[in-house]
Amino acid sequence: MLAVPEMGLPGLYIGSSPERSPVPSPPGSPRTQESCGIAPLTPSQSPKPEARAPQQASFSVVVAIDFGTTSSGYAFSFSSDPEAIHMMRKWEGGDPGVAHQKTPTCLLLTPEGAFHSFGYTARDYYHDLDPEEARDWLYFEKFKMKIHSTTDLTLKTQLEAVNGKKMPALEVFAHALRFFKEHALQELREQCPSLPERDTVRWVLTVPAIWKQPAKQFMREAAYLAGLVSREDAEQLLIALEPEAASVYCRKLRLHQLMDLSGRTPGGGRLGERRSIDSSFRHAREQLRRSRHSRTFLVESGVGELWAEMQAGDRYMVADCGGGTVDLTVHQLEQPHGTLKELYKASGGPYGAVGVDLAFEQLLCRIFGEDFIATFKRQRPAAWVDLTIAFEARKRTAGPHRAGALNISLPFSFIDFYRKQRGHNVETALRRSSVNFVKWSSQGMLRMSCEAMNELFQPTVNGIIQHIEALLARPEVQGVKLLFLVGGFAESAVLQHAVQAALGARGLRVVVPHDVGLTILKGAVLFGQAPGVVRVRRSPLTYGVGVLNRFVDGRHPPDKLLVRDGRRWCTDVFERFVAAEQSVALGEEVRRSYCPARPGQRRVLINLYCCAAEDARFITDPGVRKCGALSLELEPADGGRDSTGAAPGRREIRAAMQFGDTEIKVTAVDVSTNRSVRAAIDFLSN
Ligand SMILES: Nc1ncnc2c1ncn2[C@@H]1O[C@H](COP(=O)(O)OP(=O)(O)OP(=O)(O)O)[C@@H](O)[C@H]1O
Ligand SMILES: [Mg+2]
């Protein structure tokens, strides 16, 4: 769908329906310069956006939900004391050998599809169900990954429960969010009975920074369905990007709250105990300026050793190593306010800790047969859960300096089922298999050498290191000397050692906050209290619309020529709103005006296009795709005329889009009445 000029083209729509054809230009307004086509009405045609202060919502408490692939939780703080972060109540349940600060992202629905339980309760209840009965129940785990991996995500996308039954993903997410909402509100009411009910809570939902717009919108829709906020109070819900949230928290850390993997002690000195990194950055630079060669003072201060090496400014990288993804962001700390500027667009990939679980599953397939493991998972799901719990605990004890083998207990149900299926026992299977680093222990367990366990980590760990190395090689991030490893997987000694060995040697300081598993959650609370802290972001993609330009011979390809009423137009021109990698500040707006084509038109729909390249010329170029639609809902104009008496064709709707926030946002006003127009960008109905 193209934006077409109204001038001289009454009734001309390019596309299937008039309702979908925006008319961006009023009579007499198209610019005549060669580069310009159908100019929008506003003077802000220039790609240089304008800045606007972000809207403030009212709230007295921020509740952040870290919705993870493997584990989830919430935390909150009151706006009267924003930095006092209250962690959610301890969860019931928990596994031996596994610290449980968050609860497993497991959801159980009854055979009728009603909510039953979430977290440990869900997992254990499902586990204890009679196997026959369990087949009717809907049990979901690790379902967050599906949202990123589905390329054509819509509100109708389905998720498959362990028993193979399908259900709309939106409902599954809404069930989980509703659970957190109720838990959090209950805890808030108990802590603070005087808290008013309405407009009290600002909710923050975390998503990986590498998620695309449709996935972010999907989470927002799930939050509406769960009743976290209403669509009318959309600004009471913030989407936070996980590594960004971690960064917001890391910059507040005091140095003694960090573990330096090189073995140096950043928090060893007096200063480390008192100052946050934010102020230490400032302090260290100040010291450096005043006493260029006075390393003695800096070392004494306890901060010098760490920060003196940061030569090109206060730049650092944060790697959120979670269950499903590894998500990276690179920030520069800005003075004097300690705001953050993103230096390179968010990147990462599917190198989460579940990669290690999958490697273990593949190992079992090699030993016992892929078909057997598939049948076992399907027919004895509770025993399969048991096995994964046993592996999880052992996985956490793995480390490069560990000596001696590890035992993983096989559930009796596994041993029994194998004998029934195959006619011989598991011990025989192990003896016959080509895998010689897993043995059968006389106590009825799988006995695995620690080298073999470390091997299971290698593909995932290598993926993380290669990704960080590729990022460090980019010119935009030169000068980064510090890497924060955060997220649950960052607790792994195997990962810590491998990252330090590979990147420490290149001069990168690798540090791990003490409460590494909760960094994202705490940061998300701080972000909710002051979302302006991330002042500048990088657009991950180029976004724009298709327009008509005046056709210029020699400049435009002949196959794009469109002649209407004697006028020559170049069709399919990609008009860029923002370029991939462009720095965009919070509140900056790209403004465009559109005129409804017909009097009485109630809706204008404009297709949005995106691509990874910065310089696409046409919406038909390779790599350019339709990614969403901007919709403007119009109030009926009085008698076909607006309140100023202007002809209907001149009715001007001014849209302002923001690309510098965690989500792309739009607002619009009807210029003649100065009334706001309902505007939205839909990324889910392509
Ligand atoms: N000591 C450890 N060794 C190995 N893996 C660990 C360790 N501690 C936690 N993990 C892994 O970290 C993962 C949980 O981390 P986290 O809670 O940050 O992930 P998540 O938030 O659920 O996932 P994501 O952020 O990718 O959606 C689990 O897969 C767990 O197995
Ligand atoms: Mg996470």
Side-chain angles (χ1 to χ4, degrees):
M1 193 62 44
L2 296 173
V4 298
E6 183 192 32
M7 184 188 68
L9 295 171
L12 170 64
Y13 297 99
I14 298 181
S16 53
S17 110
E19 284 283 292
R20 296 183 66 86
S21 291
V23 180
S25 177
S29 76
R31 299 196 325 199
T32 49
Q33 298 94 309
E34 36 144 34
S35 66
C36 136
I38 304 314
L41 282 167
T42 51
S44 62
Q45 155 75 1
S46 108
K48 204 172 165 47
E50 300 187 8
R52 198 172 63 95
Q55 274 179 358
Q56 289 300 321
S58 71
F59 60 94
S60 42
V61 59
V62 166
V63 182
I65 301 173
D66 177 4
F67 195 93
T69 307
T70 53
S71 57
S72 302
Y74 68 86
F76 55 93
S77 83
F78 296 95
S79 23
S80 52
D81 190 4
E83 294 194 3
I85 299 167
H86 307 261
M87 295 308 301
M88 69 255 164
R89 259 197 297 245
K90 274 247 180 278
W91 301 99
E92 64 277 41
D95 298 324
V98 175
H100 51 103
Q101 290 155 313
K102 297 199 278 176
T103 193
T105 309
C106 301
L107 173 71
L108 183 63
L109 306 179
T110 65
E112 295 73 41
F115 178 85
H116 179 272
S117 48
F118 188 87
Y120 288 111
T121 319
R123 201 198 57 193
D124 296 344
Y125 190 90
Y126 179 64
H127 179 258
D128 293 340
L129 277 173
D130 174 75
E132 280 302 310
E133 203 188 341
R135 269 182 220 151
D136 296 329
W137 288 64
L138 296 126
Y139 180 70
F140 297 90
E141 57 179 11
K142 294 179 188 155
F143 49 92
K144 180 181 166 191
M145 283 168 90
K146 170 94 177 182
I147 299 308
H148 184 59
S149 61
T150 306
T151 44
D152 53 351
L153 184 69
T154 70
L155 294 176
K156 296 203 175 87
T157 297
Q158 301 262 320
L159 275 182
E160 199 175 301
V162 170
N163 64 1
K165 281 192 197 163
K166 291 195 169 161
M167 179 160 204
L170 194 73
E171 280 180 39
V172 175
F173 276 79
H175 275 304
L177 292 177
R178 207 175 289 118
F179 167 83
F180 280 111
K181 175 193 160 191
E182 280 160 16
H183 247 261
L185 289 183
Q186 176 68 23
E187 193 174 343
L188 280 175
R189 272 192 295 267
E190 284 168 24
Q191 278 218 12
C192 194
S194 61
L195 214 61
E197 279 280 319
R198 268 189 62 79
D199 301 335
T200 304
V201 181
R202 168 180 273 177
W203 295 91
V204 180
L205 267 183
T206 70
V207 303
I210 53 170
W211 270 19
K212 305 217 162 52
Q213 291 300 322
K216 293 176 186 173
Q217 187 187 335
F218 182 91
M219 278 307 258
R220 183 170 273 286
E221 294 292 338
Y224 293 150
L225 189 60
L228 245 58
V229 301
S230 69
R231 218 174 274 279
E232 288 65 44
D233 292 326
E235 71 283 0
Q236 292 281 106
L237 171 72
L238 300 181
I239 299 289
L241 309 180
E242 286 161 10
E244 203 176 272
S247 175
V248 168
Y249 180 67
C250 285
R251 94 196 201 297
K252 288 273 174 195
L253 281 173
R254 281 152 219 284
L255 297 174
H256 71 277
Q257 295 169 310
L258 300 169
M259 181 170 73
D260 186 336
L261 296 186
S262 69
R264 284 173 273 192
T265 51
R270 265 183 311 120
L271 192 70
E273 275 137 40
R274 284 184 289 114
R275 285 175 188 272
S276 66
I277 291 179
D278 184 349
S279 60
S280 297
F281 266 132
R282 230 176 300 148
H283 183 83
R285 228 190 10 226
E286 183 70 6
Q287 296 296 341
L288 277 173
R289 206 170 39 237
R290 272 201 261 135
S291 54
R292 278 244 144 76
H293 307 290
S294 173
R295 277 195 63 89
T296 321
F297 174 82
L298 290 167
V299 174
E300 264 181 9
S301 75
V303 64
E305 237 200 321
L306 184 59
W307 307 112
E309 289 169 35
M310 302 195 59
Q311 289 150 359
D314 311 325
R315 297 166 157 222
Y316 58 90
M317 188 182 289
V318 178
D320 170 16
C321 308
T325 46
V326 164
D327 218 9
L328 297 155
T329 191
V330 189
H331 278 157
Q332 175 157 11
L333 190 73
E334 300 178 306
Q335 297 303 353
H337 301 298
T339 46
L340 297 170
K341 178 178 171 186
E342 191 174 52
L343 296 178
Y344 188 69
K345 66 183 178 205
S347 67
Y351 318 116
V354 297
V356 185
D357 308 345
L358 284 175
F360 177 64
E361 193 177 324
Q362 280 158 11
L363 179 67
L364 293 178
C365 289
R366 271 177 68 192
I367 300 170
F368 301 107
E370 208 171 323
D371 55 335
F372 170 75
I373 295 296
T375 319
F376 175 69
K377 279 169 80 173
R378 213 175 35 249
Q379 298 202 12
R380 304 274 172 102
W384 175 252
V385 171
D386 253 357
L387 182 52
T388 58
I389 294 169
F391 177 70
E392 180 68 32
R394 306 316 282 155
K395 178 172 88 173
R396 291 179 186 223
T397 63
H401 305 302
R402 201 200 138 96
L406 294 143
N407 285 336
I408 299 160
S409 51
L410 273 186
F412 171 74
S413 172
F414 187 100
I415 298 168
D416 175 58
F417 193 64
Y418 187 81
R419 197 182 312 111
K420 284 185 181 142
Q421 291 277 309
R422 292 286 207 252
H424 58 262
N425 59 24
V426 290
E427 193 180 351
T428 313
L430 272 162
R431 234 182 306 111
R432 287 183 188 169
S433 90
S434 59
V435 178
N436 53 16
F437 46 80
V438 181
K439 305 271 181 250
W440 183 244
S441 120
S442 54
Q443 298 171 68
M445 297 188 189
L446 290 180
R447 193 163 171 76
M448 206 172 162
S449 71
C450 49
E451 291 78 26
M453 178 56 117
N454 291 349
E455 273 302 307
L456 297 181
F457 281 72
Q458 286 324 303
T460 308
V461 165
N462 290 344
I464 296 174
I465 292 171
Q466 279 162 17
H467 198 91
I468 297 176
E469 282 176 335
L471 188 54
L472 284 171
R474 299 215 52 105
E476 298 88 340
V477 309
Q478 291 314 299
V480 167
K481 290 277 191 287
L482 183 65
L483 166 67
F484 288 96
L485 273 190
V486 301
F489 194 22
E491 280 182 51
S492 161
V494 179
L495 178 69
Q496 289 181 0
H497 182 265
V499 171
Q500 171 61 28
L503 301 167
R506 297 178 43 154
L508 196 71
R509 211 66 175 288
V510 186
V511 291
V512 180
H514 284 180
D515 50 359
V516 61
L518 298 177
T519 315
I520 290 101
L521 192 46
K522 292 181 176 177
V525 174
L526 295 180
F527 176 79
Q529 292 285 1
V533 60
V534 184
R535 200 188 58 82
V536 180
R537 293 188 178 85
R538 299 271 180 157
S539 177
L541 293 172
T542 298
Y543 289 96
V545 290
V547 295
L548 294 177
N549 277 7
R550 287 197 192 290
F551 194 88
V552 180
D553 288 314
R555 180 183 154 80
H556 292 134
D559 62 325
K560 295 288 177 199
L561 176 64
L562 176 81
V563 182
R564 277 289 185 279
D565 299 335
R567 280 213 153 88
R568 300 170 80 233
W569 302 98
C570 177
T571 184
D572 292 340
V573 176
F574 185 69
E575 193 210 16
R576 192 171 74 183
F577 288 165
V578 65
E581 262 311 298
Q582 186 180 324
S583 271
V584 200
L586 198 63
E588 273 184 11
E589 289 180 344
V590 174
R591 294 184 188 165
R592 293 292 185 275
S593 286
Y594 298 98
C595 282
R598 288 181 286 105
Q601 186 172 331
R602 298 295 300 274
R603 189 172 202 214
V604 176
L605 268 180
I606 300 144
N607 287 336
L608 282 187
Y609 293 84
C610 72
C611 62
E614 290 163 36
D615 52 0
R617 285 185 68 205
F618 298 101
I619 57 169
T620 48
D621 282 359
V624 180
R625 61 190 168 81
K626 177 177 172 284
C627 62
L630 163 65
S631 69
L632 306 167
E633 307 290 336
L634 311 179
E635 296 276 317
D638 191 17
R641 299 193 156 257
D642 64 30
S643 58
T644 60
R650 282 204 57 84
R651 189 175 183 191
E652 178 191 344
I653 311 299
R654 189 174 292 168
M657 285 157 285
Q658 294 186 49
F659 294 90
D661 215 328
T662 56
E663 299 164 275
I664 296 176
K665 291 182 176 161
V666 63
T667 53
V669 286
D670 189 329
V671 173
S672 58
T673 60
N674 208 22
R675 276 218 293 262
S676 67
V677 168
R678 273 176 61 146
I681 301 182
D682 183 6
F683 290 100
L684 282 171
S685 54
N686 284 309

